[in-house]
Amino acid sequence: MSKYGIGQPVLRFEDPRLLRGQGRYINDVNLPGQAHAVFVRSPHAHARINRIDTAAAAAAPGVLAVYTGHDVVADGLGMPKANMPRKRPDGKPMFAPQRPALVTDRVRYVGDPVAMVVAATLAEAKDAAELVEIDYEAIPSVTSTEDTVKPGAPAVWDDCPDNISNFIERGNKAATDEAIKGAAKVIKRRYAITRVHAQYMEPRGTLGTYDQGEDRMILYADVQYPHRVRNMLAQSVFKVPESKMRVIAQDVGGGFGTKGWQYVEHRLTLWAARKLLRPVKWTCERSEAVMADEHGRDNIGEIELALDKDNRFVALRLNMLANIGAYVGSDRNLLSPFGMIGTVLGVYMIPTAYINVIGVLSNTNPTAPYRGAGRPEAIYLIERLIDDAARELGVDRVELRRRNMLPEKALPYQSPVGPFYDCGEFEKNMDMALKLADVEGYGARAEESKKRGKLRGLGIVNAIEQAAGTAQPEYAEIRFNPSGTAALLMGTKNQGQGHETMFKQILNERLGIDPADVQFIDGDTDRVAFGMGTNGSRSTVLGGSALFLAAGKVIEKGKKLAGHLLEAGEQDIEFADGTFTVKGTDKSVPLKQVAMAAFNPTKWPKSGFEGGLYENATFLGEKDTYPNGCHICEVEIDPETGEVKLDRYAVVDDVGTVMNPIGLKGQIHGGVAQGVGQILGEQVVWDRESGQLLTASFLDYTMPRADTMCSMEIKSNPVPTKYNPLGAKGAGEAGTVGAMPAVMNAVLDALAPLGVRDVAMPASAQNVWRAIQAAGK
């Protein structure tokens, strides 16, 4: 077995250059003569713009231009829009207000961009931006999700007085209502899931330039979907052929979904570069990021679980409010949690269910996919409810889960709300995790904590997610050089996940090529023919499968030439471990030599062979995949201060075929950290009365630190899927999906003896202490 093949613990090929500071991030890209842009953003959550005076700013030293929304409109720039079929509950079409590049009449959240200042230097642009005078007339705002639909709530848009943009429903409402009505027991809860920001290592940036000779725009940006960004800019904004637009995304300092696409700064820097005939660069300040970016999560779910007399689940009903912010600039703003809420049934047999999700508008940043994109929210709802049900019914939570879990013999299983689970070993995951976490020894640890005056809690969660969506295909290309080395071009986009390593492993497994002989290329729409980018744990499943198929084409073409070189029929040629061999003989030729011969006409058969060796493939999965697993967390709480300490964490995951155990553990670690961060501290907060953003910097937005985490035990229980040639299910978001409910369930388990039934997310020391005090009264 090759040390670089699938399943091998290969250290990342990317890391040496990144650790030496040789990466090429967006702020490392600079062009001769570039100017710098600064945006003037609204300080109000909701206000009318009575007047914008740019005269003083335009006259400031070094200023090249000051643009407002009127300039954008005058030049005829288009606005992308959402295309998903949605309606309002009253049957009317979805109310989906498009997002202007610069606002002209009314700002609708703190950070809404109003003006753009371009100057020769960044310092000059910043100084001039402070001279832009804007006369705002503040009007009432609504930032809280639950407040958006209350009677008398301020309307974000006059044409939508109830602030309801759209809704979706799944399942059978009548049957669910009837089942709940006739159930022996019904457990009902209301869970609020807070809003968070991605807080990646490098804030966003963009550099736009215009080639006057070719009449062509080039955008350098840290985006996750370069080809989709190009298509959107060309077709929807500038209305030019795609050949007139190039997008280049190099190293990306973290994305997590929030750097997907569709930010106004992209189109504005390109537009300004074309007007000024010089490159224009914008770099987001860390203190600007929370105001400038899309956010994640932010929803409230009212959920009911009905059980029969034997404590078997018979029905589930969920009514959810999802805060989508002030604008619906693209389908991205409708994806979370609308597209993934079907996994709210978890890994359990629930024969009847109904889900209703209402998207509400608010005076906040738009929300969009953030690591998990609705799947952590779904599992948070069901797994918290099962724990609450176990407490209320006085039964063991593990036994309640086991009694209702989908057995292997029930798979494949069609959920009543959409998902199709093709394979998995859910009970085995849980049993492995119980052993890995030493749950048998939990009682002794809890007693030891009690002796020290601390509270210990245990959280057990079974997670499943819908990944690698089949709505969009993915592309891979293998190009051999005359020397026998190769270039690997992928339509996915790496943002730190280790794509180069993983894809080279797949190529090594299929073709036996030494990774050192492979050049990895992604993120450039001129070099890579096609791609849908990276999101939703799709890169291995779809991109890897496309590469698998492209490699198969290389093998088939190589057999024709190898047969000629070995003086044998094509049908007699076998390929394995990078070598073509005549069946039953020791006559062989390595792939590298065949690749070199493919560029030498003297080596070709006399007829029927097209020179060169370069193949591509596009793969679209037949069905979505469903990574799953079990998370077990232990926390210790100081009842005097409310401080929560993460003490133990164990994960058993099933992501299908494991490409690289080291990379997988890194993905799980990172995903868990983001889930832990949201539960223990992260939250975007506005003042409820004034609409002012209160968490714009790390002084107020709590980030998880190294000492927030604990050591983790991780094992895999892979059950490959048959719906792609690799058997992969996806791993990028699995950690977050399980971590959120695991940590919160552990916190509530620790506090249950004190009578605490709920803790407002995040479970910060303050919120936990308040819950303890309230229960004591």
Side-chain angles (χ1 to χ4, degrees), residues 46-79:
H46 204 185
R48 295 185 183 91
I49 299 174
N50 294 326
R51 180 179 58 88
I52 303 177
D53 187 345
T54 62
V63 171
L64 303 173
V66 181
Y67 300 117
T68 68
H70 297 289
D71 300 309
V72 177
V73 172
D75 273 15
L77 265 65
M79 284 191 291

Side-chain angles (χ1 to χ4, degrees), residues 201-214:
M201 291 185 70
E202 184 187 36
R204 289 190 301 112
T206 171
L207 173 60
T209 184
Y210 174 64
D211 186 322
Q212 197 172 8
E214 292 190 359

Side-chain angles (χ1 to χ4, degrees), residues 395-508:
V395 299
D396 181 77
R397 54 190 164 168
V398 173
E399 173 55 30
L400 184 60
R401 285 175 167 84
R402 194 183 301 278
R403 175 168 296 201
N404 291 282
M405 192 174 288
L406 284 163
E408 284 184 60
K409 64 181 180 181
L411 302 179
Y413 173 75
Q414 179 63 62
S415 163
V417 289
F420 179 81
Y421 300 164
D422 64 306
C423 63
E425 296 174 345
F426 308 140
E427 189 169 10
K428 183 179 179 181
N429 290 343
M430 188 169 70
D431 288 337
M432 288 177 63
L434 291 171
K435 184 176 180 181
L436 184 65
D438 184 27
V439 172
E440 283 190 4
Y442 170 74
R445 295 191 294 275
E447 280 300 314
E448 194 276 332
S449 295
K450 186 176 180 180
K451 290 177 183 178
R452 293 185 286 106
K454 302 293 172 47
L455 304 168
R456 182 172 283 266
L458 178 70
I460 301 171
V461 161
N462 294 304
I464 192 165
E465 57 167 321
Q466 185 175 357
T470 56
Q472 300 161 336
E474 198 46 76
Y475 175 84
E477 182 178 354
I478 304 166
R479 294 183 197 165
F480 278 88
N481 302 311
S483 63
T485 59
L488 169 59
L489 301 97
M490 297 299 305
T492 58
K493 180 69 198 91
N494 178 55
Q495 304 130 47
Q497 300 97 324
H499 283 191
E500 178 179 345
T501 303
M502 183 265 295
F503 287 132
K504 285 183 177 181
Q505 284 185 258
I506 295 173
L507 198 61
N508 178 267

Side-chain angles (χ1 to χ4, degrees), residues 55 95 97 101 127 153 163 192 247 281 344 351 367 430 477 507 541 634 650:
F95 185 82
D127 289 344
N163 290 325
V247 174
K281 184 174 186 176
V344 74
T367 52
M430 188 169 70
E477 182 178 354
L507 198 61
V541 175
E634 284 185 40

Side-chain angles (χ1 to χ4, degrees), residues 190-203:
R190 178 182 183 276
Y191 301 126
I193 298 174
T194 52
R195 178 180 289 229
V196 289
H197 179 266
Q199 301 291 12
Y200 15 63
M201 291 185 70
E202 184 187 36

Side-chain angles (χ1 to χ4, degrees), residues 18-38:
L18 297 175
L19 293 172
R20 293 172 183 147
Q22 295 165 345
R24 181 63 65 87
Y25 296 92
I26 184 61
N27 211 35
D28 293 321
V29 182
N30 295 285
L31 299 176
Q34 72 185 18
H36 295 264
V38 168

